[in-house]
């Protein structure tokens, strides 16, 4: 049994779906169902008794303690977080509450549970914390990609709250011996991503004949990782990662935001052409840049490859095609998110 938190969100739900295909081991899925949590992502698991969904908060210590004692998980994978940078700029409080205080309370409840396990079970136990490349700050052009030894320099409330959580996780190992692992991944994309993030937003706006807004000059660079590759990497780290180590996970795909949007437009032009025959790229507009917008992130994923043998299976070209196709085939999912029906 493993306990997954935030398993109704984008990456968490992909991970739960993938896990139950790859393994026999059941999953307890604790999720607060914020605006980003969507049980429709897990609809295919109806009647699957290896999936136990619990509606609740990682910061609710008594609930977490109760779940740990009842289900006796051998590992926790912590996806639960507030994750959208723009929202963190307009309302940072929720980010501090969940990403910092919530992670702290989850860790504390876990530490108490773990300290009462047998020595053998203590040694086998893992707390895997999912974090982001944004903790390393903005990378100047030409500088080598982020490595695990690089200094943390977060620049926005989201990345600062994630950086804080990473430090707390580290300290719970150094001080109490809790067997922790941390992964810092780059921008994920793929099925079930909430359409406020770049790629799904562009697909959805394009199809609705709306503008495709790009911050500033659109030359900000991110590394892009197909979500199912990320899910596999997490399984590798859980199985073989060295306790207290961090692992950077990336797709070896550095692209500017403008390139991403142009690629989405080209795929839509091919798969669902506009009625007037013009390219969707005509809908691109440039808007004022985001405050504190980091210019470049890039991940050096060679440690996870050399130590654990993981490498992404998708190229950007194959992953983005699958993603655009998924959104075209799942327009009801998008409509339910946009209307708010998914929360009913
Ligand atoms: N999406 C990316 O590109 C990306 C990149 C790097 C790192 N990450 C990290 O990966 C993790 C998952 O990201 P995502 O994109 O799936 O996020 P998401 O916003 O899609 O999902 C987050 C999930 O956590 C749940 N949640 C929020 N607060 C909670 C709380 N207090 N208690 C329990 N559940 C709570 C939400 O309901 C939601 O289901 C996050 O920790 C994020 O920082 C994401």
């Amino acid at each position: 049994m493993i306990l997954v938190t935030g398993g109704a969100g984008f990456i968490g739900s992909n991970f739960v779906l993938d896990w139950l295909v790859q393994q026999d081991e059941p999953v307890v899925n604790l999720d607060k169902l914020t605006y980003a949590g969507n049980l429709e992502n897990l609809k295919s698991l109806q009647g699957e008794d290896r999936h136990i969904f619990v509606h609740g908060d990682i910061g609710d210590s008594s609930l977490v303690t109760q779940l740990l004692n009842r289900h006796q998980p051998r590992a926790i994978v912590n996806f639960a977080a507030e994750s959208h940078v723009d929202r963190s700029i307009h309302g940072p409080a929720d980010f501090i509450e969940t990403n910092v205080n919530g992670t702290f309370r989850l860790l504390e409840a876990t530490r108490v549970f773990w300290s009462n396990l047998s020595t053998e079970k203590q040694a086998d136990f893992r707390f895997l914390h999912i974090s982001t490349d944004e903790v390393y700050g903005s990378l100047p052009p030409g500088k080598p990609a982020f490595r695990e030894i690089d200094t943390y320099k977060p620049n926005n409330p989201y990345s600062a709250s994630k950086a804080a959580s990473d430090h707390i996780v580290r300290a719970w190992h150094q001080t109490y011996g809790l067997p922790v692992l941390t992964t810092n991944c780059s921008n994920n994309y793929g099925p079930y991503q909430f359409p406020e993030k770049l790629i799904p937003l562009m697909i959805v706006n394009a199809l609705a004949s709306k503008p495709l807004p790009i911050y500033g000059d659109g030359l900000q660079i991110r590394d892009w990782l197909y979500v199912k590759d990320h899910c596999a990497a997490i399984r590798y780290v859980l199985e073989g990662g060295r306790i207290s180590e961090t692992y950077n996970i990336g797709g070896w795909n550095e692209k500017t935001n403008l390139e991403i949007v142009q690629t989405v437009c080209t795929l839509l032009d091919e798969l669902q052409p506009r009625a007037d025959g013009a390219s969707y790229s005509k809908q691109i507009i440039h808007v004022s840049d985001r405050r504190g917008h980091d210019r470049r992130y890039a991940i050096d994923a060679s440690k996870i490859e050399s130590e654990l043998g993981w490498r992404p299976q998708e190229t950007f070209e194959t992953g983005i095609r699958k993603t655009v196709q998924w959104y075209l085939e799942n327009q009801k999912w998008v409509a339910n998110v946009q209307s708010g029906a998914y929360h009913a």
Side-chain angles (χ1 to χ4, degrees), residues 191-249:
Y192 302 115
Q193 187 165 30
F194 200 84
E196 64 185 351
K197 302 274 171 82
L198 183 67
I199 290 176
L201 179 71
M202 294 301 144
I203 300 171
V204 168
N205 277 12
L207 295 174
S209 306
K210 290 185 179 165
L212 307 180
I214 295 191
Y215 281 132
D217 59 10
L219 300 182
Q220 306 85 355
I221 295 174
R222 302 290 181 263
D223 173 75
W224 292 88
L225 171 66
Y226 190 61
V227 66
K228 290 179 197 295
D229 276 331
H230 184 199
C231 295
I234 294 167
R235 278 190 282 108
Y236 277 59
V237 173
L238 198 55
E239 273 328 291
R242 283 183 294 132
I243 289 170
S244 85
E245 290 290 315
T246 67
Y247 293 89
N248 283 354
I249 306 173

Side-chain angles (χ1 to χ4, degrees), residues 9-11 31-32 34 37 57-58 79 83 98 158 162 185 188:
F10 163 47
I11 306 175
D31 196 295
K32 189 177 173 182
T34 66
D57 193 322
I58 56 166
F79 293 96
S83 72
T98 284
Y158 164 66
K162 291 297 290 186
C185 68
N188 282 223

Side-chain angles (χ1 to χ4, degrees), residues 30 33 248 275:
L30 172 65
L33 296 180
N248 283 354

Side-chain angles (χ1 to χ4, degrees), residues 69-132:
N69 289 333
R70 184 186 309 153
H71 297 290
Q72 301 281 316
R74 66 150 179 116
I76 297 177
V77 185
N78 183 32
F79 293 96
E82 289 293 336
S83 72
H84 189 45
V85 177
D86 286 339
R87 286 180 190 256
S88 83
I89 294 167
H90 301 299
D94 285 348
F95 288 72
I96 303 302
E97 187 49 34
T98 284
N99 301 0
V100 184
N101 295 332
T103 305
F104 154 67
R105 291 197 203 103
L106 177 66
L107 268 171
E108 251 311 77
T110 304
R111 180 184 69 77
V112 172
F113 165 73
W114 171 80
S115 58
N116 288 318
L117 294 176
S118 66
T119 316
E120 199 177 288
K121 283 191 171 165
Q122 278 190 353
D124 288 344
F125 189 83
R126 295 289 181 273
F127 183 99
L128 171 46
H129 181 60
I130 307 299
S131 191
T132 168

